[in-house]
Amino acid sequence: MTPIEEFYNGQTLLITGATGFIGKVLLEKILRSCPGIDGVYLLVRPKWGRPTQERVEQLVNCKLFDKLRQSQPNFADKIHAINSDLQHSKLGLSDEDIATLREKVTVVFHVAATIKFDEKLGLSLKLNVVATQEMLKLCKEMNSLKVFVHVSTAYAYCDREHIEEVVYPPPVDPYKLLGAIEWMSEDMISTITPQMIGNRPNTYTFTKALAEHVLVQEGKDLPLCIVRPSIVGAAWKDPIQGWIDNFNGPSGLFIAVSVCSQCSPDNVISSDR
């Protein structure tokens, strides 16, 4: 048993954003690599008329999970779908579900976020900053939390020439900004957005930087880890060579220029690296 397997043996995980690209890859890889995991709770919202349970069933039936299915035919029994909406207070969780998560969860991966570069500032703040605050509140109430892993982005401080593994001062005070937008109309928020984000190219990188500051301020007593992936592309070889579930960002470009074997941008990593 590897040290990683040993750590996860008997643990119960909570993952947000599991229906997204990085979330899917994380869920499959961690279950396949650490068969001793006791269970995984997924916070998923109903979408396009499909309830939470149906979305999770569709998720685990994805081709990505075929290799896991071969080694652990009953892996889906470990996965528990919980109805949630990150835009709502307490993440839209019921009191019963909150009690379950408090009692059982030991490892948290907060992957969910809006990654739209042109997302409206108000919604981006709700999903990337306020939802992170709500996750922190939930984690503080967990009885046996070992680690809270927050997925940020390598571009949170893209306005800086050199970036170290530290959390830099926020571009604006996130608490004052959150308080201000409560009384602002959408038109007012849109008007001030260029001034707020400053040298950053979009609301995504801006709100991710604010979220990191909130984590440091409110998560001081938690076993907290912030990870900053860059652009995540298709799998190199594991579990399926070249697997990807979307053509967003560079993926579509790579497919379009696939006749060129020399394309290998330094800031793109494969999903299994």
Side-chain angles (χ1 to χ4, degrees):
M1 183 179 291
T2 68
I4 293 178
E5 286 180 275
E6 186 175 355
F7 172 80
Y8 282 104
N9 192 39
Q11 302 302 319
T12 299
L13 282 55
L14 169 62
I15 301 177
T16 69
T19 58
F21 177 53
I22 294 179
K24 288 177 185 175
V25 172
L26 169 64
L27 178 63
E28 190 278 337
K29 181 69 172 182
I30 204 165
L31 283 175
R32 179 161 50 87
S33 302
C34 305
I37 286 175
D38 192 56
V40 183
Y41 288 93
L42 305 182
L43 300 193
V44 179
R45 68 186 175 98
K47 190 176 182 181
W48 297 324
R50 288 182 295 150
T52 294
Q53 185 61 44
E54 182 180 327
R55 294 190 68 199
V56 172
E57 289 174 359
Q58 182 179 20
L59 166 67
V60 299
N61 286 323
C62 171
K63 187 174 180 62
L64 174 69
F65 292 84
D66 285 354
K67 189 173 181 179
L68 171 60
R69 212 176 333 268
Q70 292 174 3
S71 61
Q72 302 177 49
N74 299 319
F75 79 91
D77 293 343
K78 294 183 178 181
I79 299 175
H80 311 286
I82 290 188
N83 189 54
S84 175
D85 191 330
L86 301 191
Q87 294 188 59
H88 295 165
S89 175
K90 297 183 180 180
L91 306 173
L93 296 169
S94 68
D95 291 340
E96 182 180 355
D97 287 335
I98 289 175
T100 298
L101 297 176
R102 285 173 179 167
E103 178 185 353
K104 295 186 175 182
V105 170
T106 57
V107 178
V108 174
F109 288 93
H110 183 37
V111 185
T114 175
I115 60 174
K116 293 181 179 178
F117 291 166
D118 59 349
E119 188 70 85
K120 291 183 178 179
L121 179 58
L123 182 55
S124 190
L125 285 167
K126 283 183 180 179
L127 293 174
N128 293 349
V129 182
V130 178
T132 299
Q133 286 182 298
E134 295 294 330
M135 282 299 303
L136 284 166
K137 293 176 184 176
L138 178 61
C139 286
K140 288 179 179 179
E141 297 175 347
M142 291 178 178
N143 297 331
S144 305
L145 182 68
K146 291 183 178 295
V147 62
F148 172 27
V149 181
H150 174 82
V151 178
S152 185
T153 172
Y155 306 102
Y157 305 101
C158 58
D159 59 327
R160 303 179 69 94
E161 185 174 354
H162 299 289
I163 302 172
E164 304 291 338
E165 291 184 346
V166 298
V167 175
Y168 294 98
V172 300
D173 186 322
Y175 301 103
K176 290 182 179 179
L177 179 57
L178 290 172
I181 66 168
E182 288 184 357
W183 56 266
M184 289 185 178
S185 66
E186 282 293 336
D187 287 342
M188 293 176 68
I189 297 174
S190 296
T191 299
I192 68 168
T193 295
Q195 294 176 304
M196 289 295 99
I197 66 175
N199 294 329
R200 285 176 169 77
N202 48 57
T203 57
Y204 169 63
T205 58
F206 174 72
T207 54
K208 278 296 191 178
L210 297 185
E212 287 197 11
H213 177 74
V214 167
L215 284 162
V216 170
Q217 292 299 308
E218 300 183 25
K220 294 178 180 178
D221 298 326
L222 290 176
L224 174 65
C225 173
I226 299 175
V227 296
R228 295 173 179 163
S230 57
I231 300 171
V232 183
W236 176 40
K237 62 178 181 179
D238 185 52
I240 304 171
Q241 186 175 19
W243 183 87
I244 196 166
D245 71 344
N246 65 77
F247 300 128
N248 297 333
S251 302
L253 176 62
F254 290 165
I255 292 172
V257 299
S258 58
V259 292
C260 173
S261 61
Q262 304 301 315
C263 298
S264 181
D266 291 336
N267 61 346
V268 178
I269 57 173
S270 58
S271 62
D272 55 332
R273 298 295 285 178

